[in-house]
Amino acid sequence: MTTEIYYFSGTGNSLHVAKELQKRLPQTNLIPLVSLLNQDVIETYGDAVGFVFPIHFATVPMIVKSIIRKMDLKSAQYVFAAATREGTPCSSAFKKIEKGLKKKGKGLDSYLILNMASNDPKFKGWHQATVTEIADFELVVQDKLDLFQHIITNKVPYLVNDTDITHPVNFFFEFLGSALIEIPSDYGKAYYADENCSGCGVCEKVCLSQKIKMVDKKPVWQKTVTCFACDACLNFCPAQSVQMRSGRFIKFYTDKNGRYTHPNATVNDIAAQKLMV
């Protein structure tokens, strides 16, 4: 069986999961979703086709839905998905993927939900995961991926109820989050660089939507480019100078909180998603 895994990762959690699945599944090709943005039709070649992505605001990232709309999935005999998250509900993410697949004459055969360290330092009370906490997450991730390997290899249906919610949210938050994901160009307006910016250009390098351009050694978030809300610029900035501007109805704490990137993910790993074919 040949397998294709289409992945999207801003700070490395989902990239790590995609690579771990590749180790477990022979003849597996990893394909970054960002590299496919300019293609009108995306033809798959794998017997099994999977999607690996982070949960954004309790739902699926916009880029995942937009790529599925352009896919020709005739090769796929089995379709699966794996989502990484900090512990928020995410059932709507798989419902939206299922809706997109049905339009292609396919269904979602299995999915996996993986709790991992949070890369979302926007809110009060957030803390950067410790080495011990990351190791604890990883033990569970590895066990679940071992199970998922068996499920995918044997093409077993695996659509389970989510029992590992550690950060429950109310319906309003879930509805608001879904709306924000649908209008990510507005979401991108919140980013800015403070006086600690050294002009190193890391934020531009890791920006998966290519929204950031360095102008006079300072990052500029272009108004005409859609933001993918991946928070790569926020978390990879070596000076932690990328911040999020509070709004009328919401306060952000990026100026007080730390940052998180997966320990196995580098700036080059994230940036390579824009270059790989």
Side-chain angles (χ1 to χ4, degrees):
M1 181 178 71
T2 58
T3 304
E4 290 180 326
I5 295 177
Y6 295 83
Y7 74 93
F8 173 69
S9 184
T11 55
N13 282 350
S14 294
L15 174 58
H16 174 66
V17 169
K19 286 183 175 180
E20 287 297 309
L21 279 173
Q22 184 183 39
K23 290 178 185 177
R24 289 165 167 80
L25 300 168
Q27 301 184 69
T28 295
N29 187 27
L30 297 187
I31 305 164
L33 292 175
V34 176
S35 70
L36 304 172
L37 286 169
N38 294 326
Q39 295 189 25
D40 295 325
V41 178
I42 301 163
E43 187 173 356
T44 64
Y45 298 95
D47 302 312
V49 172
F51 301 92
V52 179
F53 55 89
I55 293 298
H56 284 180
F57 293 104
T59 190
V60 63
M62 178 196 63
I63 184 174
V64 179
K65 293 197 299 180
S66 64
I67 290 295
I68 289 176
R69 291 190 195 108
K70 299 193 292 184
M71 296 186 89
D72 180 344
L73 289 155
K74 290 178 183 176
S75 74
Q77 302 169 23
Y78 186 87
V79 181
F80 63 92
T84 61
R85 62 167 187 192
E86 67 171 320
T88 52
C90 59
S91 60
S92 66
F94 299 106
K95 290 177 181 177
K96 289 181 179 181
I97 289 177
E98 180 74 22
K99 183 178 179 180
L101 290 173
K102 281 185 177 179
K103 294 178 180 179
K104 303 293 180 178
K106 300 292 180 179
L108 187 61
D109 296 295
S110 66
Y111 63 77
L112 183 68
I113 304 168
L114 297 162
N115 288 357
M116 299 182 73
S118 171
N119 70 343
D120 193 9
K122 294 189 285 293
F123 301 111
K124 188 175 183 179
W126 182 91
H127 77 276
Q128 183 179 4
T130 66
V131 173
T132 300
E133 288 172 331
I134 293 172
D136 289 342
F137 280 124
E138 185 65 9
L139 285 174
V140 179
V141 165
Q142 292 295 332
D143 284 345
K144 286 193 172 185
L145 289 176
D146 287 342
L147 171 63
F148 209 40
Q149 172 194 8
H150 173 79
I151 288 166
I152 296 169
T153 300
N154 293 282
K155 298 181 180 177
V156 177
Y158 187 74
L159 305 171
V160 297
N161 292 325
D162 185 3
T163 58
D164 294 326
I165 297 172
T166 60
H167 291 69
V169 296
N170 59 38
F171 173 78
F172 175 75
F173 176 89
E174 202 165 348
F175 174 80
L176 178 61
S178 295
L180 284 172
I181 292 300
E182 296 296 335
I183 50 171
S185 57
D186 286 340
Y187 178 87
K189 292 178 181 179
Y191 294 107
Y192 71 98
D194 66 18
E195 66 278 3
N196 295 315
C197 176
S198 66
C200 69
V202 166
C203 56
E204 179 185 41
K205 189 172 183 178
V206 298
C207 180
L208 296 178
S209 67
Q210 301 187 61
K211 185 178 182 70
I212 300 173
K213 292 297 180 185
M214 297 300 293
V215 178
D216 296 329
K217 295 186 177 181
K218 295 294 180 183
V220 174
W221 281 259
Q222 302 171 92
K223 295 179 180 179
T224 57
V225 179
T226 297
C227 175
F228 291 160
C230 71
D231 283 347
C233 61
L234 181 67
N235 285 285
F236 273 102
C237 174
Q240 294 189 19
S241 73
V242 176
Q243 309 291 349
M244 293 197 73
R245 191 176 290 106
S246 297
R248 183 181 301 178
F249 302 109
I250 190 168
K251 181 173 177 56
F252 293 136
Y253 292 83
T254 55
D255 58 334
K256 296 178 175 61
N257 292 335
R259 302 291 189 266
Y260 167 81
T261 58
H262 192 277
N264 293 342
T266 68
V267 167
N268 288 336
D269 290 333
I270 300 303
Q273 293 177 75
K274 296 183 285 186
L275 304 175
M276 295 172 63
V277 178

